[in-house]
Amino acid sequence: MRRITLLTNPDVCNLHCPLCFLNQRGFEFGMGEMSWDVAKAAVEKFAAIENPAGSELREVIPSTMGEPLLYSHFNDLLDLCKSLGVKVNLTTNGTFPGFWGTADGVKKLLECCSDIKISSLASEGFSDWKKNVEHLLEVRGAVVEAALESASLESAASVSLQVTLHKENLMIIPELIAWASAKGINRIKWNTVVFLSTAPKELVERFALHTERVAEIRDYVKGFAALGAGIKHEGNLFFERGSDGVDRAAFRCEYRAASRCGFDDEIWILPDGSEQHCPNPERRFGNAGAAEAQCCNCPMAR
């Protein structure tokens, strides 16, 4: 099992990003917060699968909707994963609320996580967002330096940016790349905005990117990536797209029918403990019967 995703607190967030899938569909996920018993049982179950003597589970991802650092049992989750030798793969909105904004909180995140991805959905608040990321990087630098001085083999989490590209934030791309290069960011995931079939028309018109514009942005970012600077550039921006904006749809439909999905070794666990095996947001948050819910139109894979 490569990793499991726990939808720990999908309805709890301290931001209200317009492109959030819950905002797109207009109502909450509705299952409440995942109880600690459910979270603990899920992690222990998959950590023990196939090899009772040791963990086969590589990573645990806390809520991909909502802000995971607001999960009331997040500290317990870190402790449990550490005790089982499993790393947490964290995606956060960059506000680092409460304890997690302190040096001690950041140190614990760096110790228990494989990667910390700071998501950027909007252009608003960009300055404060950068300050919070810089604080994380400063603490990480101190942790790495201390580890080198003590000859410790422990390594701190990598730090990534997860940028959702849309019509209103394209102007920040040059500044973001220059800043990330100067500050020592390890990776940038460039994802073009994804809309549910149920998203309001005015939202799509406001934020959607035309296929031609996506191609221009891809070439622009590739130009920076070719220069090096030590940053890995990833994300669905680099997927091949046809004139209809769908990622090689016919090929992928045929491939999926004859082969395994790239996410077959991952499981999504809902707050009530039920399990899902598909990452497509349309199936979970939109209309499971829509064309967008089909494997060949999945925005999560090539």
Side-chain angles (χ1 to χ4, degrees):
M1 180 63 59
R2 178 169 58 170
R3 56 192 183 189
I4 60 173
T5 296
L6 308 177
L7 274 69
T8 52
N9 53 305
D11 293 321
V12 180
C13 190
N14 52 357
L15 295 180
H16 302 282
C17 299
L19 295 173
C20 170
F21 292 135
L22 296 187
N23 182 66
Q24 287 191 34
R25 77 182 201 163
F27 56 94
E28 293 185 338
F29 195 65
M31 286 190 179
E33 183 181 83
M34 179 179 286
S35 72
W36 175 238
D37 287 343
V38 168
K40 183 173 184 290
V43 174
E44 291 178 338
K45 170 187 173 181
F46 289 101
I49 283 179
E50 297 178 357
N51 183 8
S55 174
E56 292 292 329
L57 178 63
R58 299 183 191 176
E59 292 181 328
V60 171
I61 301 176
S63 191
T64 53
M65 295 299 299
E67 170 50 46
L69 295 181
L70 291 174
Y71 178 45
S72 60
H73 301 289
F74 188 79
N75 197 42
D76 297 324
L77 181 63
L78 291 183
D79 289 339
L80 174 64
C81 289
K82 183 179 180 181
S83 72
L84 294 171
V86 177
K87 289 290 188 178
V88 172
N89 189 321
L90 174 66
T91 299
T92 174
N93 63 23
T95 58
F96 294 96
F99 169 71
W100 305 111
T102 68
D104 287 342
V106 171
K107 286 178 182 177
K108 184 159 189 176
L109 293 177
L110 291 166
E111 174 187 330
C112 297
C113 294
S114 57
D115 182 57
I116 301 174
K117 286 182 292 298
I118 304 91
S119 178
S120 174
L121 272 173
S123 54
E124 296 85 356
F126 186 48
S127 178
D128 289 338
W129 180 84
K130 287 200 302 181
K131 289 178 182 178
N132 292 339
V133 177
E134 287 171 355
H135 179 240
L136 168 64
L137 292 168
E138 288 170 2
V139 175
R140 183 180 186 276
V143 168
V144 171
E145 184 177 351
L148 290 174
E149 290 179 353
S150 62
S152 170
L153 297 179
E154 293 292 328
S155 60
S158 58
V159 176
S160 304
L161 306 181
Q162 183 163 285
V163 183
T164 298
L165 295 167
H166 54 76
K167 193 183 297 182
E168 295 190 356
N169 71 351
L170 300 182
M171 73 292 296
I172 71 170
I173 293 177
E175 177 186 352
L176 185 64
I177 294 177
W179 169 78
S181 300
K183 296 298 180 181
I185 293 293
N186 300 106
R187 176 178 60 146
I188 304 179
K189 290 190 69 176
W190 302 96
N191 293 329
T192 54
V193 59
V194 172
F195 294 102
L196 301 177
S197 65
T198 54
K201 181 180 178 181
E202 57 271 20
L203 193 74
V204 177
E205 291 177 345
R206 176 183 171 186
F207 290 104
L209 293 170
H210 294 295
T211 301
E212 295 80 7
R213 191 71 176 111
V214 171
E216 292 175 3
I217 300 166
R218 183 189 306 123
D219 291 341
Y220 183 77
V221 174
K222 279 184 176 179
F224 277 95
L227 296 177
I231 297 180
K232 183 183 294 185
H233 295 271
E234 299 178 342
N236 73 12
L237 173 66
F238 302 104
F239 290 178
E240 293 286 335
R241 295 178 184 269
S243 59
D244 58 357
V246 177
D247 302 309
R248 301 168 68 194
F251 170 81
R252 291 193 301 139
C253 280
E254 181 180 350
Y255 176 81
R256 295 285 178 82
S259 186
R260 298 171 62 246
C261 172
F263 292 89
D264 277 352
D265 57 351
E266 298 193 31
I267 292 179
W268 282 256
I269 299 167
L270 277 58
D272 63 358
S274 59
E275 299 175 5
Q276 293 182 346
H277 297 262
C278 175
N280 191 335
E282 184 67 38
R283 294 193 183 186
R284 188 170 299 122
F285 303 109
N287 175 10
E292 291 83 351
Q294 300 302 309
C295 287
C296 55
N297 295 323
C298 180
M300 303 294 290
R302 293 181 186 273

